[in-house]
Amino acid sequence: METVIGVMGGSGIYEIDGLENAEWRTIDSPFGAPSDDLLFGTLNGVKMVFLPRHGRGHKQSPSTVNYRANIDAMKRAGVTDVISVSACGSFREEMAPGDFVIVDQFIDRTFAREKSFFGSGCVAHVSVAHPTCPRLSAACLEAATAEGITVHNGGTYLAMEGPQFSTLAESKMYRESWGCDVIGMTNMPEAKLAREAELCYASVAMITDYDSWHPDHGEVDVTKIIETLMGNSGKAKGMVARLPALLGTERELCPHGCDRALEYAIMTQDPHRDPELVAKLDAVAGRVL
């Protein structure tokens, strides 16, 4: 199978430098409009597709991003491996602004978003016990390290609804009682949907601040966040540029089964499936339907 790297760019990342034959294309999805057109190209000999999660110009808030359409569009574009790059706050002193975290767990506290491609008429249950792909995460770790980025391997990401930042009480609870490492607003339900779409998914969280728990840093300062964000953006582009050499032009089946997540997940028997919903699932679940 040919490798096609998909990059979901978060705040501050609205394009990828160095893409050859770069072309923005509109990809229609039966789940609605994606955040923007998708940027197709080749980076260091490997096909790449880029989607700015908030749209160029940052038009979408975390709650209005159409996560289903974004993941469906990536699948329709032939993407095999999704790299999520997003800004986050830190709950750990040693995870400082400017550092990156290779996330491996999530706590989903979002509530205003569609979280599954499936539903009445075609029910499916996938496992997200390990919601990121270890193979893809390891490549991101190696690329970030080679780029000279201070990167932490592993961490739990608290996904909040937003768009407001945490209260002090919430920040302390997430840090002290729940044991979270970073906090953001966009990786859920994105990671769950990527698993339903049988896409390998890795999350690279770029720290911009200490949320509101840190006694020496006070509440979140948006001006400082933007300043750190711009520095992180350059680092992220350098990391992404190293991924093609690590992932190669051809890929085998995922050793962790991400690309076979739907193998036994669909519960609704064939005669009882809703034809309209099944038609919408042609890209996401076409392999098993």
Side-chain angles (χ1 to χ4, degrees), residues 4 25-32 34 38 40 49 68-80 117 197 199 277-286:
V4 181
R25 300 181 200 165
T26 300
I27 302 294
D28 295 323
S29 168
F31 295 96
L38 278 64
F40 289 73
V49 178
R68 293 197 300 178
N70 284 354
I71 293 295
D72 179 71
M74 282 286 196
K75 184 79 172 186
R76 291 179 188 279
V79 166
T80 57
F117 290 110
L199 292 170
L277 178 54
V278 168
K280 292 172 68 174
L281 294 167
D282 62 327
V284 166

Side-chain angles (χ1 to χ4, degrees), residues 181-232:
D181 298 298
V182 295
I183 182 168
M185 302 180 188
T186 58
N187 277 201
M188 281 291 174
E190 190 175 87
K192 292 175 178 177
L193 294 166
R195 181 58 51 85
E196 285 189 346
E198 298 191 322
L199 292 170
C200 291
Y201 180 90
S203 170
V204 181
M206 310 180 297
I207 298 173
T208 59
D209 60 89
Y210 278 117
D211 203 49
S212 57
W213 66 271
H214 201 298
D216 298 328
H217 290 267
E219 62 190 50
V220 176
D221 185 329
V222 176
T223 58
K224 291 182 179 178
I225 285 180
I226 292 174
E227 183 180 336
T228 307
L229 198 63
M230 293 304 100
N232 284 347

Side-chain angles (χ1 to χ4, degrees), residues 70-113:
N70 284 354
I71 293 295
D72 179 71
M74 282 286 196
K75 184 79 172 186
R76 291 179 188 279
V79 166
T80 57
D81 301 272
V82 174
I83 314 293
S84 164
V85 184
S86 59
C88 71
S90 170
F91 293 126
R92 303 294 159 206
E93 185 86 47
E94 66 275 16
M95 294 181 175
D99 292 1
F100 285 13
V101 180
I102 308 299
V103 173
D104 60 356
Q105 283 295 331
F106 297 98
I107 295 177
D108 186 0
R109 294 285 291 169
T110 64
F111 55 81
R113 311 171 187 191

